[in-house]
């Protein structure tokens, strides 16, 4: 690790929960990252943790070869990128004359257009950009037991893989620039959809006199066979090599079970917008399968 990542040449831009977890990961490798955050309180927290702190993103670029960017929104990423291009160094020289920065890694969940814009703009400074989105919450990031979803050119990702492996046990290069961000957005949608659908199912259970806690315990404890999350056995449900993203039909699930549950929810007076949308998608799947 220390042959590839030099102490004091790693930067963290954004010292929130994930930034703090990244810093702790680097401490495990005896690397002390330099920190910048626009929030003075965050900079103070980093300093109190014994980390070197700078007062601007430009100063961070001057100090570091690699910056992990962990900000909240697309606008925040664009602000960092545009500041690096138009900013002035602490010596008064243009940034592109003094920066030692060679790579910016966008860890934020943002649109792929934002990542591609960052790469295009920063290429004028000979800075490479990849996106690398963590899949887990800060407590898991701190342990390294998570996946980093990466997008970028093959050579760029290969060059930065030693850095990424210092942060995550599982580094997955998923495609061109922006692929990490798209995959992370899709994963977030899957998580959100699951939680909202369970909310609607709990309402159905309540309306039918079933204890919600018993239902939740059942979901947790009966993950056998096809009752498991589909990602655990996707090869038997999806076959993307055919060019289709539709799941396998099964026997009754889409044709009978989903319509039955949707009708029952209506009968007991429960509003289930996600379930109704699911029923419409199931009907489209059945129709498509009939026409094939």
């Amino acid at each position: 690790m220390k042959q590839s990542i030099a102490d004091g040449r790693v930067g963290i831009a954004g010292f929130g929960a994930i930034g703090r977890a990244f810093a702790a990961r680097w401490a495990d490798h005896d690397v002390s990252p330099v920190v910048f955050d626009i929030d003075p309180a965050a900079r103070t927290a980093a300093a109190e943790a014994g980390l070197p702190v700078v007062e601007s993103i430009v100063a961070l670029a001057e100090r570091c070869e690699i910056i992990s960017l962990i900000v909240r929104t697309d606008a925040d990423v664009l602000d960092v990128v545009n500041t690096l291009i138009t900013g002035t160094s602490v010596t008064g020289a243009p940034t592109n004359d003094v920066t030692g920065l060679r790579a910016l890694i966008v860890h934020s969940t943002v649109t792929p257009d934002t990542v591609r814009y960052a790469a295009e703009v920063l290429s004028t400074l000979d800075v490479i950009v990849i996106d690398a989105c963590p899949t887990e919450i800060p407590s898991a990031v701190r342990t390294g037991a998570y996946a980093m979803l990466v997008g970028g050119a093959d050579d760029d990702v290969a060059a930065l893989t030693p850095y990424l492996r210092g942060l995550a046990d599982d580094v997955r290069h998923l495609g061109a620039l922006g692929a990490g961000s798209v995959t992370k957005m899709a994963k977030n949608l899957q998580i959100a959809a699951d939680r909202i659908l369970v909310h609607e199912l709990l309402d159905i259970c309540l309306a039918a006199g079933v204890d919600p806690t018993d239902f939740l315990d059942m979901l947790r404890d009966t993950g056998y066979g096809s009752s498991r999350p589909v990602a655990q056995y996707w090869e038997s449900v999806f076959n993307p090599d055919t060019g289709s993203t539709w799941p396998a039909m099964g026997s009754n699930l889409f044709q009978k079970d989903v319509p039955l549950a949707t009708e029952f929810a209506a009968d007991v007076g429960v509003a289930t917008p996600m379930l109704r949308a699911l029923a419409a998608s199931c009907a489209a799947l059945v129709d498509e399968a009939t026409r094939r």
Side-chain angles (χ1 to χ4, degrees):
M1 175 61 62
K2 294 189 76 172
Q3 292 178 348
S4 302
I5 308 300
D7 188 32
R9 298 294 283 168
V10 170
I12 294 176
F15 200 65
I18 294 292
R20 293 193 296 273
F22 279 4
R25 289 290 298 158
W26 284 124
D28 292 342
H29 299 293
D30 297 323
V31 173
S32 181
V34 185
V35 173
F36 168 69
D37 196 293
I38 60 171
D39 182 2
R43 296 199 298 273
T44 298
E48 290 176 347
L51 297 171
V53 176
V54 294
E55 298 298 313
S56 73
I57 189 66
V58 172
L60 190 66
E62 291 176 322
R63 289 275 301 271
C64 300
E65 294 178 304
I66 302 172
I67 293 177
S68 275
L69 179 61
I70 316 136
V71 292
R72 181 171 174 76
T73 67
D74 288 73
D76 294 333
V77 173
L78 295 176
D79 183 60
V80 166
V81 170
N82 292 330
T83 299
L84 287 173
I85 288 294
T86 63
T88 301
S89 76
V90 293
T91 64
T95 304
N96 57 3
D97 286 343
V98 299
T99 182
L101 184 65
R102 67 181 182 91
L104 179 75
I105 303 178
V106 180
H107 297 286
S108 309
T109 304
V110 294
T111 64
D113 283 348
T114 293
V115 178
R116 288 191 284 263
Y117 172 82
E120 179 181 358
V121 170
L122 292 179
S123 67
T124 63
L125 302 182
D126 293 324
V127 174
I128 64 175
V129 173
I130 67 171
D131 48 310
C133 300
T135 57
E136 285 292 343
I137 60 176
S139 59
V141 171
R142 170 63 187 89
T143 69
Y146 69 100
M148 193 78 83
L149 310 178
V150 184
D154 290 347
D155 289 347
D156 295 342
V157 173
L160 291 168
T161 292
Y163 176 91
L164 296 174
R165 291 203 183 282
L167 297 173
D169 294 342
D170 184 359
V171 176
R172 297 190 175 227
H173 185 194
L174 294 159
L177 200 64
S181 297
V182 170
T183 308
K184 177 63 182 296
M185 285 192 291
K187 184 174 178 61
N188 286 348
L189 286 173
Q190 184 269 327
I191 294 169
D194 181 55
R195 294 180 183 185
I196 295 300
L197 183 57
V198 169
H199 151 69
E200 293 186 0
L201 301 180
L202 290 172
D203 281 347
I204 293 172
C205 288
L206 277 170
V210 175
D211 187 307
T213 300
D214 289 341
F215 174 72
L216 290 169
D217 285 342
M218 179 276 297
L219 287 182
R220 181 192 61 204
D221 298 338
T222 60
Y224 316 121
S226 61
S227 294
R228 294 172 293 159
V230 70
Q232 295 181 11
Y233 63 103
W234 70 264
E235 294 90 345
S236 64
V237 178
F238 295 98
N239 188 8
D241 290 340
T242 65
S244 172
T245 58
W246 285 109
M249 281 290 293
S251 55
N252 292 315
L253 182 63
F254 300 116
Q255 302 99 316
K256 179 183 77 70
D257 296 339
V258 171
L260 177 66
T262 307
E263 292 169 8
F264 177 75
D267 289 344
V268 295
V270 176
T272 54
M274 181 170 282
L275 183 55
R276 291 198 305 273
L278 173 63
S281 292
C282 290
L285 171 61
V286 172
D287 182 62
E288 173 71 16
T290 301
R291 289 187 285 105
R292 284 201 299 262

